[in-house]
Amino acid sequence: TVGAVALDSAGNLAAATSTGGMTNKQVGRVGDSPLPGAGCYASERVAISCTGTGEVFMRTLAAYDIAAMMEYGGLSLQQASDKLIHEKIPALGGSGGLIAIDTDGNLALPFNSEGMYRGYAVAGELPVVAIYREE
Amino acid sequence: MARATIAIHGGAGAIARASMDADKELLYRQALLQIVASAQALLAAGSSALDVVTEAVRQLEACPLFNAGVGAVFTHEGTHELDASVMDGRTREAGAVAGVRRVRHPVLAARSVLENSPHVLFIGQGAESFAEKQGLEMVSNDFFSTPERRTQLEHALNTQQTLLDHDGGLPPDRKFG
């Protein structure tokens, strides 16, 4: 599964996710990636793209849940992302990660697995890529 | 003026430094860097967030290292089924396709659903016909196949597992999705 989130210079946010699904999956099985609110979500406040145990990200409406925790719970992007990835997803036996940007340009790239292929770049700064947890 | 920012991912999982050989790690880092840098350049040139995420994911789909587009994992029947979605925070508009087999870039089909249809999600044959009518590039299903993923399928079949691409890796390369 792959994804991208962006904040443009006009202050607009967007998200995209794409996947080949699961190895050896039953034909016809669909995970969270194509479902707005589960594997991909963007509003005027936050953009999110997820990767992981699709069924759990669907049942938790993971991407939208972050936006809701921020909007209704007053949590920051980092707090909401961490709560989802390190509490809610594992509580249902899921694993994976996500990337997210909010309208202030805050970034969150949490994951509860050993690693995540990821990268980010802020205007005027050098891009950063990482794979392992300890980076 | 907001500080334009981009983030990308290529999947998460049990990617331990000890189990990744240096050459393969370098390939992943180079691919991620090239894609995130080109997205940053698009943002610097004034592209919209929606255009930038669409193009970044299109490039990730084109890279055989990641489980999307070329390099997608195999189903139980040895085929590929691809899903993708895009969402615009400014308008809350969204477009998605699921279970497509012949669309070279599913993210472009999702974008076309967002822009050229009143719907959000198309699946299977309907999604393929829509993409074809929109003039998107269509390929044969085996266009997405790679030897590494076929080996992962054989491993999964032998162990009767359904593996997320995060777990689809083989020792030592247990890649995540």
Side-chain angles (χ1 to χ4, degrees), chain A residues 1-37 39-46 49-55 64 71 95-101 103 105 107 109 111 113-135, chain B residues 1-17 20 25 28-29 32-33 36-37 40 43 46-50 52-54 56-57 60-61 66-69 72-77 79 81-90 92 94 96-99 101 106-107 120-121 149 152-153 156-157 160-166 168 173-177:
Chain A
T1 303
V2 302
V5 290
L7 168 69
D8 62 29
S9 50
N12 296 318
L13 292 157
T17 306
S18 181
T19 190
M22 299 160 69
T23 300
N24 196 22
K25 78 176 182 113
Q26 279 182 269
V27 166
R29 177 268 182 191
V30 176
D32 62 313
S33 299
L35 302 181
C40 178
Y41 185 73
S43 68
E44 61 286 349
R45 288 174 63 120
V46 64
S49 173
C50 303
T51 173
T53 323
E55 281 70 11
Y64 176 71
E71 182 163 357
S95 75
L98 63 88
I99 54 174
I101 292 183
T103 197
L107 273 167
L109 298 90
F111 52 94
S113 46
E114 285 172 68
M116 181 165 78
Y117 296 112
R118 59 202 189 276
Y120 65 87
V122 180
E125 296 178 11
L126 284 176
V128 176
V129 300
I131 297 175
Y132 307 111
R133 166 176 302 289
E134 64 272 12
E135 289 183 77
Chain B
M1 179 108 141
R3 281 198 78 187
T5 305
I6 173 77
I8 64 172
H9 72 79
I15 315 165
R17 200 185 289 271
M20 172 91 83
E25 179 181 322
Y28 276 103
R29 289 185 190 279
L32 289 168
L33 189 57
V36 78
Q40 184 184 32
L43 284 170
S47 292
S48 71
L50 185 61
V52 172
V53 297
T54 305
V57 169
L60 286 160
E61 288 176 344
F66 304 109
N67 173 27
V73 299
F74 284 91
T75 69
H76 180 71
E77 294 176 8
T79 59
E81 289 185 338
L82 309 177
D83 313 322
S85 58
V86 295
M87 189 158 183
D88 184 352
R90 185 173 52 86
R92 301 277 184 109
V97 293
R101 295 167 170 236
V107 72
V120 171
L121 171 60
R149 295 298 187 186
Q152 282 177 1
L153 174 62
L157 290 169
Q160 275 121 53
Q161 287 177 294
T162 298
L163 298 168
L164 286 176
D165 55 345
H166 351 324
D173 165 37
R174 289 182 57 233
K175 180 178 175 324
F176 282 69

